[in-house]
């Protein structure tokens, strides 16, 4: 099969479009014909070798941990899907990914894709929508009537977080440059803050939760806007300082997304009901993954980038 692989860590130029072995589905796995693969910052972080201490990958590696496609065959004992089913997934980050014509995925990591989306849009959903869902509801415990501050609200995670928090009945404040403010309002954001001209801590106070997608200085400045007993949920390590949180009377959690087919099914229902929308910033052919990585690494993407495989 054709795939994008890298044989050594490095810049976008290490990505090679080449022949790779077609995977065999092991027991409990499903072979999926990939139609589209979503791009996420973790893809180029892994390509750069940023995570090699944590995850020593055998190289060459196929990157890409977001996909939409069609079930080709079931491995031994896999029964949840039939050949021809349209599925989407955030497959295991520890294995070969989805920048390829085929991928073998554990069946519990797959869900039926939203019926109202084509594969390009469906591939943009799983990783970031699951991250937003788990950060807001599992880690943050957001409920109706609360106020949430979402950093990088126009990005991949932020775009879903704004919509999901709004759907839950929370008041949503988001940070983005001014060019994204109309976009944020279209997602249900109640207050958009231009981080290039306004320090958010000057205009926000007593929020119930901050979703930290930035770390660094943004996280450091976020403590002061959280109400006593509120929570900062970050999706970037190293984790927040427990002492800092305790000294301010707030809670803090570092959180890493996990595959969850039941949550992916709920997200598909929200999409099919027209409650959650998917914005594509750019689509690249599979062979052009290097340009997709360059665009993602600018940190200026609105919504998502995807690779078209079929
Ligand atoms: N722990 C986990 O499980 C997990 C899961 C998913 C993602 N992540 C990580 O979370 C981070 C965000 O991921 P993502 O996919 O959402 O990234 P992304 O889509 O690349 O984010 C791009 C967005 O960041 C905004 N931005 C840049 N600088 C900003 C600033 N100073 N303040 C506010 N917004 C700013 C940009 O808006 P403007 O163009 O308006 O500036 C742009 O819309 C990445 O580092 C990713 O690796 C972690």
């Amino acid at each position: 099969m054709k795939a994008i692989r890298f044989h050594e860590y490095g810049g976008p130029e290490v990505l090679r479009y080449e022949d790779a072995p077609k995977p065999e589905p092991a027991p409990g796995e499903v072979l999926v014909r990939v139609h589209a693969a979503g791009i996420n910052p973790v893809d180029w972080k892994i390509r750069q070798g940023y995570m090699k201490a944590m995850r020593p990958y055998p190289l060459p590696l196929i990157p890409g941990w977001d996909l939409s496609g069609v079930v080709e065959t079931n491995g031994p004992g896999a029964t949840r899907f039939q050949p021809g089913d349209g599925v989407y997934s955030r497959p295991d980050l520890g294995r070969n990914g989805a920048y390829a014509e085929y991928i073998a995925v554990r069946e519990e990591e797959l869900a039926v894709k939203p019926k109202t989306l084509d594969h390009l849009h469906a591939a943009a959903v799983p990783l970031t929508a699951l991250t937003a869902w788990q950060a807001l509801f599992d880690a943050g415990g957001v409920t109706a009537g609360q106020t949430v501050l979402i950093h990088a609200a126009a990005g991949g995670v932020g775009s879903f977080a704004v919509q999901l928090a709004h759907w839950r009945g929370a008041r949503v404040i988001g940070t983005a440059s001014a060019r994204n403010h109309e976009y944020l309002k279209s997602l249900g954001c109640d207050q958009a803050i231009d981080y290039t001209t306004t320090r958010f801590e000057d205009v926000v106070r007593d929020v119930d939760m901050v979703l930290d997608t930035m770390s660094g200085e943004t996280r450091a400045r976020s403590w002061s806007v959280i109400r006593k007993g509120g929570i900062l949920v970050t999706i970037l390590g190293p984790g927040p300082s427990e002492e800092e949180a305790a000294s301010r009377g707030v809670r803090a959690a570092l959180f890493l997304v996990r595959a969850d087919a039941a949550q992916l099914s709920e997200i598909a229902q929200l999409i099919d009901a027209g409650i959650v929308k998917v914005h594509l910033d750019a689509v690249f052919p599979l062979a052009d993954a290097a340009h997709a990585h360059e665009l993602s690494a600018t940190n200026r993407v609105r919504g998502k980038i995807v690779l078209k495989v079929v």
Side-chain angles (χ1 to χ4, degrees):
M1 67 170 183
K2 287 293 182 197
I4 293 281
R5 300 197 294 182
F6 58 89
H7 296 246
E8 68 273 327
Y9 294 111
E13 70 284 352
V14 301
L15 296 175
R16 290 193 208 163
Y17 180 65
E18 61 187 10
D19 290 317
K22 185 175 169 183
E24 286 285 329
E29 294 182 359
V30 173
L31 183 69
V32 178
R33 175 72 166 105
V34 180
H35 284 234
I39 301 275
N40 290 286
V42 72
D43 303 0
W44 47 263
K45 291 179 186 177
I46 288 174
R47 188 209 69 219
Q48 287 173 336
Y50 174 76
M51 294 171 76
K52 66 184 173 193
M54 250 181 295
R55 290 178 187 275
Y57 289 100
L59 300 182
L61 182 73
I62 301 172
W65 293 276
D66 241 351
L67 70 99
S68 181
V70 173
V71 171
E72 182 93 354
T73 53
N74 277 317
T79 55
R80 284 186 59 220
F81 300 97
Q82 295 304 314
D85 286 350
V87 289
Y88 74 153
S89 175
R90 199 245 34 177
D92 186 346
L93 213 73
R95 303 168 23 143
N96 272 326
Y99 294 6
E101 290 177 324
Y102 294 92
I103 184 172
V105 182
R106 292 185 197 102
E107 64 173 352
E108 65 269 19
E109 294 166 350
L110 288 165
V112 172
K113 73 181 255 299
K115 292 176 182 47
T116 52
L117 294 186
D118 60 19
H119 287 290
L120 288 174
H121 287 79
V125 175
L127 191 147
T128 43
L130 282 175
T131 304
W133 182 288
Q134 292 167 13
L136 290 168
F137 305 143
D138 296 347
V142 168
T143 55
Q146 292 194 329
T147 300
V148 184
L149 170 63
I150 296 168
H151 289 303
V157 174
S159 292
F160 287 111
V162 168
Q163 297 181 84
L164 291 172
H166 176 70
W167 164 70
R168 190 47 66 95
R171 175 176 151 72
V172 183
I173 307 171
T175 60
S177 62
R179 73 182 181 95
N180 278 320
H181 285 196
E182 279 310 309
Y183 172 65
L184 289 193
K185 289 194 175 134
S186 77
L187 301 178
C189 186
D190 298 285
Q191 182 183 354
I193 299 170
D194 180 357
Y195 68 87
T196 68
T197 57
T198 306
R199 290 173 72 81
F200 60 84
E201 64 272 36
D202 292 343
V203 292
V204 176
R205 65 184 54 196
D206 289 339
V207 303
D208 297 282
M209 174 184 162
V210 171
L211 174 50
D212 168 33
T213 55
M214 305 290 305
S215 188
E217 187 221 358
T218 301
R219 183 194 293 170
R221 287 164 41 210
S222 291
W223 296 112
S224 67
V225 309
I226 306 172
R227 69 158 169 84
K228 290 263 182 288
I231 186 164
L232 180 140
V233 177
T234 184
I235 57 174
L236 289 170
S241 152
E242 296 288 337
E243 295 77 42
E244 175 89 58
S247 73
R248 293 175 179 274
V250 304
R251 294 165 295 141
L254 166 66
F255 147 85
L256 297 177
V257 64
R258 59 172 203 287
D260 189 313
Q263 290 176 351
L264 269 188
S265 297
E266 285 193 71
I267 290 163
Q269 282 173 22
L270 292 178
I271 290 170
D272 287 339
I275 292 165
V276 170
K277 299 200 164 37
V278 180
H279 178 82
L280 296 187
D281 197 329
V283 178
F284 292 87
L286 175 63
D288 212 5
H291 283 119
H293 276 207
E294 284 168 358
L295 179 59
S296 175
T298 62
N299 203 22
R300 287 292 168 273
V301 173
R302 175 187 293 173
K304 298 288 299 178
I305 308 169
V306 295
L307 297 178
K308 185 175 189 311
V309 181
V310 174

